[in-house]
Amino acid sequence: MDIIRHLAFCPPGTPYFDAPVTGASDADDFPAAHADLPEGWTRTPGTEWVVLTPPDTELPRQGWKIHVSATLDNAEHVLDVVLKYCTAERVMFKFIRGLPVLKRRNGKYGDRSGSGKFVTIYPVDDAHFARVLDELGAMLDGEPGPYILSDLRWRDGPLYVRYGGFVLQAVRADSGELVYCIENPDGELVPDRRGPGFRPPEWVTLPECLSEAVATRNSGTLHDFPYRVTRALHFSNGGGVYRGVDTRTGADVLLREARPHAGLDGDGRDAVARHRQEHWALQRLHGLPCIPEPIDYRKGHEHYFLVRQYVEGTALSKEMIRRNPLVQGRREPEEFAAYAQWALGVLDRIDEGVRGMHERGVVFGDLHPGNILVGPDGSGDRVAFIDFETASDVADEATQHMGAVGFMAPAGYTGRAVDRYALGCLRLALFAPLAGAVAWSPEKVEQLLGVIGAHYPVPDGFAEQVRSDLGPPADKPGGGTEPAATGAAGADGRREAGTGASPSGRTAVDGGSAAPDGVGRPLWGTPRDGDWHGLRTELAEGVLAGATPERPDRLFPGDAEQFFSPLGGAGFAYGAAGVLWALDRAGLAVREEHLDWLTRAARAVEEPTPGFFRGLGGIAYALDALGRTDEARELLDRGGRAADLDRLDAGLYDGLAGVGLTGLHLGRRTGDRELLDAAHEITDRLLEHEEQKTAPGLARGASGGALFLLRMYEHTGDTALLDRAEQWLRADLEGLGWTADGFGRDAAGRLPMIGTGCGGTGMVLHDLLAHRPDQELARARDAVLDATALAFTPQAGLFHGRAGVVQVLLHLTGGRADAERLRPHLAGFGLHAVRDGGHPAFLGQECLRISHDLATGTSGVLLALGGALTDRQAWFPFF
């Protein structure tokens, strides 16, 4: 999962993923957004930009444009100067409409290629371009602003230039995303690249007026800079992080770059201010064995550089997942004992380091596994703390302004209590990595402690130590009862305080472990056959309560993925189609108004993708199952154009296999000869592909293509299709790590998930073996079945979590899994369950938000429970 992208879809005030508020309100607008304009001018306001156009303007489609940069402090003045100049000179321009938008775009986690761009000016030709630069540049000379990385700077002021499109021209990439384009000399559309570097197209001649600026840029090297960069490690809007060498000593160093006026945090501090804070902390902590040695802090060209000792090591966030037997699906008691010894040793050293920092008068303020390094070999013999830009003085009793998901202290915690809270979360996360759930309710702590106690030989005082660390500060009784904000975070997984929805008031659903005294009765036990009707109704009512038929972009709250594709809000995996289909499979009535919404949404998309899980195929599949076969047929016709199919890969998720399976399914069910003929054509296309090799498994690997070929064999009896299906399955098994000795200990695909891992491949193997018995493939299928005895999953959902594991278990046992196999899974759903508006619901990706979709949330769990507790056909599509 791309947590960076998901965190942008955690707006304040809602427990669900949702589209961020990108614009400013009228009250936040700059006065220029509503200023009187000369006669004939037009104003076009948008969510972020306001465009002002003079009369009788004819712009070229592309050319040299001028950007104006500004800080939060001088933005209004800069805009007033530009407004007066451009209206007097009849120059078209646009500007960021208000301070909130400017702050976000210049924020720490803003887009680096767009950072600093406050005003965009559109000259009509090169001569006009040179005149505007000269005249407006003189008016704004000396005004500060963030350096615009994609542009060439004009002299010493806030003006920057680049060559690019003036009018919107775009094509849709294979991924479905729009790519903005310009025309090359042959009239072909090519990407209008906006990367963090000034690189005009090779066919463009630089205007003479830019020669001085180019010479200045080329001479802007780091003079008297005794460090040589050897590798870039990370980039953010605030600057880069690099590994380097001290040319004077030959020692390895780490260089942290800071861009002035950029990388703003919640308090408006830029990257330079935070680096000064880190330099202060490193100097005060100098000499502690767990702290990198500070070496230098200096300005290099336009940016600042903090230089410290380079520490060899592995991020604890990676090492704890690699080692943890619970996460890796291992069962040997000695492995759990060995891991507990390692983890407890690491925690002791972290605790010792935190106490040492506090004794030196420093609060770390951002303690989480990504900011801790363990030894180069992964050993816990030593730890090192990194990234002190949010550190504070103990005496200041500072509140926490930003923090990592799952490790940010609740409101009311200050100073040392912030670090102690994060340490309590670390104690949980090293054993049961679901720290993100803790913010949703106090019961989650007890659930996780129950999991840890059931699997690991931790000392008697472990649980009490966790409760003590997480508990409210001694001088603030009860301060720990308010969950931390679950708001937007940045590129390294951190979030700023006060920017997110608080899940306060929502009650965790107990996962079978005893709730602490005073918390209340367990709300999620182990569902049984007799519980199904009431549980099904509760889950469905919760899903339906979140429906928003008045919104055009989405009907049900689901994963943030529904905002990343043209059909996301309607699609099968993350949108309405999958939710409505799951409700029907569980035996619940589907509302006609919701089916009407789904049909309208699918028809409204101008350039849909034809695939199954994110495109028209899945929507058609759902509509047919829900009695809307005519509408389903219409969508299949629309998505079956050869031009659309040409760009598809072979897979199930978004490729030919998914399209073919949908057409074959509807064709066989309705007897539609055109659909069956189309399935044959897709078979021919698919056979021309090599098996998918990028991500083995059912969703994106060769197993999806094998499933389609297997179903076509069942339709035609052509054994050549069975041969190719077997070939592709064997290729996927190899990619998943299957050998003659079984799945290797560290095999990438040994976990039985449907989306990734061996689960979906095992389901296809099971069906293949019904037609072609094979001892080796049967061993692989049985190994997948054995792997479903999984004690812990990081998610509840169908694609990457426990709901999918239940589906695999049911399919491989012919729907007759015994109670002993099912009971732990049915109880285990409680780890991800919460109460939302009185109904049980499930946390989605990283426990960031509640999700109701099929792939990650409540609907997928509903489908799995329906298959486990009833004889309804609540199976994964095409099985």
Side-chain angles (χ1 to χ4, degrees):
M1 164 196 167
D2 186 350
I3 191 173
I4 303 169
R5 195 162 66 159
H6 275 65
L7 286 163
F9 291 82
C10 295
T14 173
Y16 311 120
F17 290 106
D18 211 339
V21 178
T22 57
S25 67
D26 289 349
D28 295 322
D29 285 349
F30 292 113
H34 306 284
D36 293 335
L37 297 175
E39 184 178 354
W41 279 70
T42 59
R43 185 192 333 264
T44 308
T47 56
E48 293 192 343
W49 297 89
V50 176
V51 182
L52 298 184
T53 307
D56 304 321
T57 297
E58 292 187 15
L59 285 179
R61 299 180 70 82
Q62 59 198 48
W64 288 97
K65 62 178 71 174
I66 300 169
H67 290 123
V68 187
S69 177
T71 69
L72 300 182
D73 294 330
N74 72 346
E76 187 170 333
H77 167 68
V78 167
L79 181 54
D80 286 342
V81 173
V82 173
L83 176 67
K84 291 175 183 176
Y85 175 82
C86 287
T87 52
E89 298 296 326
R90 296 167 64 91
V91 184
M92 179 178 173
F93 69 105
K94 69 177 182 179
F95 58 91
I96 294 292
R97 60 180 292 178
L99 275 177
V101 182
L102 181 63
K103 182 177 179 180
R104 179 175 56 78
R105 290 176 66 92
N106 288 348
K108 184 174 181 183
Y109 307 113
D111 179 5
R112 296 175 73 228
S113 65
S115 175
K117 296 176 182 177
F118 174 45
V119 179
T120 304
I121 300 171
Y122 300 95
V124 295
D125 54 35
D126 284 3
H128 190 207
F129 169 71
R131 180 165 64 86
V132 174
L133 273 178
D134 189 58
E135 294 174 352
L136 187 58
M139 296 178 183
L140 293 174
D141 187 38
E143 290 290 344
Y147 196 102
I148 300 176
L149 297 175
S150 62
D151 289 21
L152 174 67
R153 186 172 190 171
W154 171 258
R155 298 179 181 166
D156 295 325
L159 268 56
Y160 296 79
V161 303
R162 72 177 290 267
Y163 187 93
F166 284 11
V167 297
L168 179 63
Q169 301 183 92
V171 297
R172 196 169 295 283
D174 291 348
S175 64
E177 296 182 1
L178 286 176
V179 177
Y180 296 105
C181 296
I182 54 177
E183 293 182 8
N184 66 15
D186 296 326
E188 300 169 330
L189 291 179
V190 296
D192 184 2
R193 303 194 183 279
R194 308 177 186 191
F198 176 65
R199 294 181 179 85
E202 62 273 9
W203 70 82
V204 171
T205 301
L206 267 68
E208 179 61 29
C209 67
L210 296 182
S211 57
E212 179 184 342
V214 171
T216 300
R217 181 185 182 91
N218 291 341
S219 66
T221 57
L222 297 175
H223 299 291
D224 300 320
F225 194 74
Y227 308 101
R228 177 171 51 86
V229 170
T230 58
R231 182 185 175 193
L233 302 177
H234 172 70
F235 291 106
S236 75
N237 202 16
V241 180
Y242 312 92
R243 183 171 181 173
V245 173
D246 188 328
T247 58
R248 300 164 298 186
T249 65
D252 288 338
V253 296
L254 186 107
L255 299 97
R256 291 173 59 84
E257 175 190 30
R259 296 177 58 209
H261 313 300
L264 306 179
D265 61 20
D267 290 335
R269 298 182 308 162
D270 68 1
V272 176
R274 291 194 303 276
H275 274 214
R276 291 194 184 110
Q277 192 70 9
E278 178 161 11
H279 188 228
W280 164 82
L282 290 176
Q283 286 183 312
R284 181 171 283 196
L285 298 173
H286 181 53
L288 286 181
C290 58
I291 305 298
E293 177 186 354
I295 296 174
D296 200 356
Y297 183 70
R298 65 169 64 206
K299 186 175 183 180
H301 192 36
E302 301 244 2
H303 297 173
Y304 290 80
F305 291 86
L306 171 66
V307 186
R308 65 161 173 81
Q309 169 195 11
Y310 182 83
V311 179
E312 293 283 357
T314 305
L316 178 59
S317 55
K318 295 181 179 179
E319 193 65 20
M320 68 189 221
I321 297 300
R322 186 184 74 83
R323 287 174 174 261
N324 192 327
L326 189 64
V327 175
Q328 300 300 335
R330 296 169 188 147
R331 304 171 201 167
E332 297 80 2
E334 58 271 18
E335 290 208 32
F336 284 84
Y339 179 80
Q341 183 178 7
W342 175 84
L344 291 168
V346 169
L347 287 167
D348 285 344
R349 288 166 181 79
I350 294 171
D351 195 329
E352 180 183 354
V354 169
R355 293 179 188 277
M357 284 188 266
H358 292 175
E359 290 171 1
R360 293 281 188 99
V362 175
V363 173
F364 191 4
D366 194 18
L367 183 65
H368 65 86
N371 277 348
I372 300 169
L373 301 180
V374 294
D377 58 353
S379 70
D381 295 340
R382 67 172 179 84
V383 300
F385 298 85
I386 59 173
D387 195 354
F388 284 84
E389 64 179 27
T390 59
S392 64
D393 194 311
V394 164
D396 291 342
E397 283 292 329
T399 57
Q400 191 174 17
H401 295 289
M402 64 171 60
V405 172
F407 298 88
M408 189 168 180
Y413 285 58
T414 61
R416 284 173 286 197
V418 169
D419 284 348
R420 297 307 306 182
Y421 181 89
L423 184 53
C425 293
L426 263 174
R427 295 186 198 278
L428 293 172
L430 254 68
F431 293 98
L434 269 180
V438 171
W440 290 84
S441 145
E443 289 98 327
K444 290 299 176 190
V445 175
E446 299 307 316
Q447 287 180 259
L448 293 174
L449 286 173
V451 170
I452 294 169
H455 292 90
Y456 292 99
V458 293
D460 291 341
F462 179 84
E464 191 51 46
Q465 181 65 66
V466 170
R467 296 186 188 107
S468 175
D469 286 336
L470 296 178
D475 60 337
K476 297 179 179 67
T481 60
E482 177 72 14
T486 60
D492 53 3
R494 292 188 290 185
R495 63 161 61 93
E496 295 177 7
T499 62
S502 172
S504 177
R506 292 179 170 80
T507 309
V509 182
D510 189 78
S513 59
D517 291 341
V519 170
R521 65 180 177 85
L523 299 173
W524 183 276
T526 304
R528 298 175 298 275
D529 293 352
D531 301 331
W532 168 242
H533 180 76
L535 178 59
R536 178 191 64 175
T537 301
E538 272 200 282
L539 289 169
E541 286 178 349
V543 171
L544 294 172
T548 54
E550 70 280 2
R551 288 180 55 161
D553 59 336
R554 70 135 165 92
L555 179 58
F556 297 104
D559 190 79
E561 285 286 343
Q562 65 183 304
F563 300 106
F564 302 152
S565 67
L567 272 170
F572 198 83
Y574 307 106
V579 174
L580 297 177
W581 177 80
L583 290 172
D584 176 73
R585 294 296 88 188
L588 294 148
V590 174
R591 298 175 185 174
E592 290 298 316
E593 64 170 319
H594 293 165
L595 288 172
D596 292 340
W597 184 98
L598 178 59
T599 304
R600 287 195 307 272
R603 287 171 172 166
V605 179
E606 294 182 1
E607 296 185 42
T609 56
F612 186 79
F613 282 114
R614 290 200 310 167
L616 292 177
I619 300 175
Y621 179 86
L623 285 173
D624 175 67
L626 296 166
R628 299 278 184 106
T629 300
D630 290 344
E631 289 93 333
R633 188 66 173 80
E634 171 196 329
L635 295 183
L636 288 184
D637 286 342
R638 189 178 175 201
R641 295 172 299 190
D644 293 324
L645 299 179
D646 285 343
R647 69 188 190 199
L648 298 186
D649 61 26
L652 171 64
Y653 185 79
D654 242 355
L656 289 171
V659 177
L661 281 162
T662 307
L664 177 64
H665 172 77
L666 265 69
R668 296 187 68 177
R669 199 190 67 73
T670 63
D672 189 319
R673 175 48 57 184
E674 286 187 14
L675 289 178
L676 294 175
D677 289 344
H680 281 280
E681 291 178 14
I682 289 177
T683 302
D684 293 337
R685 287 174 177 268
L686 199 64
L687 292 174
E688 294 174 359
H689 280 261
E690 294 186 3
E691 68 271 7
Q692 297 284 94
K693 296 179 179 179
T694 53
L698 180 61
R700 299 183 184 274
S703 300
L707 176 62
F708 172 62
L709 295 176
L710 177 60
R711 297 291 177 250
M712 281 299 293
Y713 160 76
E714 292 168 347
H715 174 60
T716 66
D718 183 353
T719 57
L721 301 180
L722 200 60
D723 293 340
R724 183 63 69 89
E726 179 182 345
Q727 176 189 336
W728 283 15
L729 281 171
R730 289 184 182 275
D732 242 11
L733 284 171
E734 181 179 353
L736 291 166
W738 175 259
T739 68
D741 298 322
F743 285 110
R745 175 184 175 84
D746 296 319
R750 70 192 175 282
L751 297 179
M753 310 303 177
I754 285 184
T756 56
C758 65
T761 300
M763 293 167 69
V764 185
L765 273 175
H766 179 78
D767 289 6
L768 176 77
L769 287 166
H771 303 289
R772 177 167 289 177
D774 181 279
Q775 187 174 0
E776 180 188 2
L777 295 181
R779 282 201 311 114
R781 184 270 318 274
D782 293 343
V784 175
L785 176 59
D786 182 60
T788 60
L790 199 62
F792 177 87
T793 63
Q795 299 179 40
L798 191 64
F799 275 20
H800 308 294
R802 196 176 292 277
V805 176
V806 170
Q807 284 277 309
V808 174
L809 172 60
L810 291 171
H811 188 71
L812 298 188
T813 58
R816 295 184 295 274
D818 61 72
E820 288 302 312
R821 282 181 179 267
L822 281 172
R823 188 177 296 111
H825 288 303
L826 299 181
F829 280 120
L831 279 177
H832 302 86
V834 293
R835 286 278 180 189
D836 179 31
H839 304 290
F842 289 87
L843 299 172
Q845 301 276 19
E846 300 290 334
C847 299
L848 291 171
R849 286 292 190 269
I850 292 170
S851 171
H852 287 322
D853 68 29
L854 183 72
T856 71
T858 307
S859 295
V861 176
L862 184 64
L863 186 75
L865 291 174
L869 300 176
T870 74
D871 58 0
R872 292 191 60 82
Q873 297 302 303
W875 311 123
F876 198 79
F878 311 119
F879 286 95

